[in-house]
Amino acid sequence: MTHAIVTALPARAFGALRLPGYRAYLATFMLTMMADNVEHVVSYWVIFQKFHSPALGGFAVVSHWLPFLAFSVAVGALNDRFDSRRIIQMGALLFIVASAGWGYFFVTGTLRMWHAMALLVVHGCAGVLWITSSQMLLYDIVGPAALPSAVRLAATARYIGVLVGPGIGSIIMLTLGPTRGILLNTVFYLPLIVWLIGAPYGRHFREDRPPPKRTVRGLADIVLTIREVRTVPVLASMMVLAGAASFFIGNSYQAQMPGFAHDLGHGDPGTAYAVLLAADASGALLAGILLESRGGLFTIRPASATALAMVWATALFGFALMRSYPLAIAFLFLAGFCELSFSSMVQTLVQLNAPEATRGRVLGLYNMAAAGLRAFSGVTVGLVGSVASVHASLAIAAASFVSVGTILLTRLRRTVKPG
């Protein structure tokens, strides 16, 4: 049995940037992403200096991704019934509460471990409200024709934020100190809140589409959404692909990068570490620019996304076993290029094929898989690495994902056809 899928037609280079609403969306998205990373730099540094607790460091990672696993579908369900703009603003306000909370405890010198844990959870919940709802609003801003361009540019902006945010956070912390720096960070979220006050996008502007009557059901929504997604092979395949990539690999190898840099033994470990991270991000940035300037480079189809994901994992497998520093950089560059390529393609396919009445829930399930399952990649790469080695654990994780990708690719060729 085959099932037709919705695919994107070739679009003009950087087509989404021609839409005024998207330019505002992208600018506020980049600023929020930067502020998110600035907060990580300042707060992680302070709690490390104060508590020297590896357990708290591990909790910081879990608290960042676990809310996506627990609440993404519920947030998507809220987006199916209510104004996405207001849900995004709620997320931005929680970001401000988190930064202001850090600032308060820094000023008063009363920070305790449970305070830090609570603020980390608040920050994680803010991320769920912001990311899932932003993806919902994005479709309304650009429409299906410009969606591939919009998703690629947003993914590129995310990598820019990841690159620039820590640097700006370090500069702010060195010049203003952690207390003034974290309080200044609250200002970076304000443009998003202000723009969304009157931005003419979202449910209230769909006069020909009445809001669905389905209520928000909590855990039952997850089960119902999974059942609905299973009837659409392209959605089911892309959810499995995104979930497997997050579960087996995610971005946990980046946390292990100091160990890889040390083992490669190329000059100063700190410099080697920075170069390895930059190689991964640079590959992603090149992918974003190249795919936008040459939109037809890869066909936006499930098989293409799966193949690119397998190349990504294969590149990481090669990196894990590599002992040559230049070749390690090359493998990471290729991994970064393929990661942005396949992840932006997966999100585009999910957006295009999600049923209108349950788009929010489907996007929530996608984020549950693509982001929430990253909470477990620390086990598949980090914990196994502590037993064997980070090289062996990453190689095993990458090989496991390639096995899943092979099964998916075989099933896609049997069950899905373009339409």
Side-chain angles (χ1 to χ4, degrees):
M1 178 181 177
T2 59
H3 191 286
I5 66 172
V6 179
T7 56
L9 296 174
R12 297 175 65 185
F14 300 96
L17 289 177
R18 293 177 169 83
L19 303 173
Y22 183 72
R23 291 198 294 269
Y25 172 94
L26 190 64
T28 54
F29 182 89
M30 287 183 64
L31 197 58
T32 304
M33 181 61 68
M34 184 197 73
D36 181 16
N37 283 277
V38 168
E39 180 174 326
H40 286 321
V41 169
V42 177
S43 61
Y44 289 3
W45 184 85
V46 171
I47 62 178
F48 174 77
Q49 293 295 322
K50 185 172 181 64
F51 301 111
H52 294 282
S53 171
L56 185 57
F59 180 84
V61 176
V62 172
S63 65
H64 189 80
W65 298 119
L66 202 57
F68 284 89
L69 188 65
F71 304 125
S72 286
V73 176
V75 172
L78 290 175
N79 276 273
D80 282 333
R81 292 186 61 83
F82 303 108
D83 191 338
S84 298
R85 298 173 302 171
R86 306 303 167 234
I87 302 174
I88 296 171
Q89 287 174 317
M90 290 171 58
L93 286 173
L94 282 183
F95 276 131
I96 291 175
V97 168
S99 286
W102 289 115
Y104 169 80
F105 290 118
F106 294 170
V107 169
T108 59
T110 57
L111 181 66
R112 301 291 182 268
M113 187 173 289
W114 74 269
H115 296 151
M117 295 173 70
L119 290 174
L120 289 168
V121 171
V122 169
H123 186 93
C125 292
V128 180
L129 291 170
W130 171 50
I131 290 293
T132 304
S133 306
S134 292
Q135 292 171 353
M136 186 75 172
L137 188 66
L138 179 62
Y139 190 90
D140 290 321
I141 293 174
V142 303
L147 186 64
S149 173
V151 171
R152 281 194 297 264
L153 288 169
T156 305
R158 176 170 63 86
Y159 275 94
I160 293 175
V162 170
L163 280 174
V164 173
I168 293 179
S170 299
I171 293 172
I172 289 176
M173 190 166 62
L174 290 173
T175 55
L176 299 178
T179 301
R180 292 180 180 177
I182 201 70
L183 291 175
L184 173 64
N185 197 54
T186 60
V187 177
F188 298 145
Y189 297 109
L190 294 179
L192 176 63
I193 294 175
V194 173
W195 173 62
L196 288 174
I197 291 174
Y201 309 103
R203 179 163 303 285
H204 292 295
F205 296 90
R206 302 183 207 163
E207 297 179 359
D208 59 333
R209 305 177 196 172
K213 301 300 183 183
R214 180 168 155 182
T215 58
V216 180
R217 300 183 182 181
L219 290 176
D221 267 323
I222 299 177
V223 177
L224 289 172
T225 306
I226 290 174
R227 287 176 180 172
E228 291 175 1
V229 163
R230 287 178 63 185
T231 65
V232 185
V234 60
L235 288 178
S237 298
M238 293 301 94
M239 297 289 184
V240 172
L241 181 67
S246 295
F247 179 85
F248 287 110
I249 302 174
N251 62 350
S252 59
Y253 66 94
Q254 295 176 349
Q256 306 296 332
M257 205 66 81
F260 285 112
H262 178 271
D263 293 345
L264 286 167
H266 185 83
D268 178 60
T271 303
Y273 165 62
V275 171
L276 291 176
L277 286 179
D280 189 48
S282 298
L285 290 176
L286 178 63
I289 295 171
L290 188 59
L291 292 176
E292 270 304 292
S293 59
R294 299 176 178 272
L297 187 62
F298 297 124
T299 304
I300 300 178
R301 296 202 175 148
S304 301
T306 306
L308 283 166
M310 292 171 67
V311 176
W312 165 67
T314 302
L316 289 177
F317 180 88
F319 166 73
L321 301 181
M322 191 54 54
R323 291 297 182 266
S324 166
Y325 184 71
L327 287 177
I329 292 174
F331 275 113
L332 276 181
F333 184 87
L334 176 61
F337 185 96
C338 291
E339 182 180 12
L340 185 137
S341 301
F342 92 80
S343 61
S344 62
M345 197 178 294
V346 169
Q347 185 183 330
T348 299
L349 287 166
V350 171
Q351 288 260 32
L352 289 174
N353 290 274
E356 182 60 40
T358 56
R359 182 180 302 280
R361 287 172 172 82
V362 171
L363 285 174
L365 187 64
Y366 163 73
N367 282 304
M368 180 180 171
L373 290 180
R374 290 189 176 193
F376 298 101
S377 64
V379 176
T380 57
V381 175
L383 186 58
V384 175
S386 66
V387 176
S389 71
V390 291
H391 300 273
S393 64
L394 180 56
I396 292 170
S400 301
F401 174 76
V402 170
S403 299
V404 174
T406 301
I407 296 171
L408 272 178
L409 203 55
T410 302
R411 290 177 62 87
L412 281 168
R413 287 171 177 165
R414 290 203 312 258
T415 61
V416 178
K417 68 177 181 179

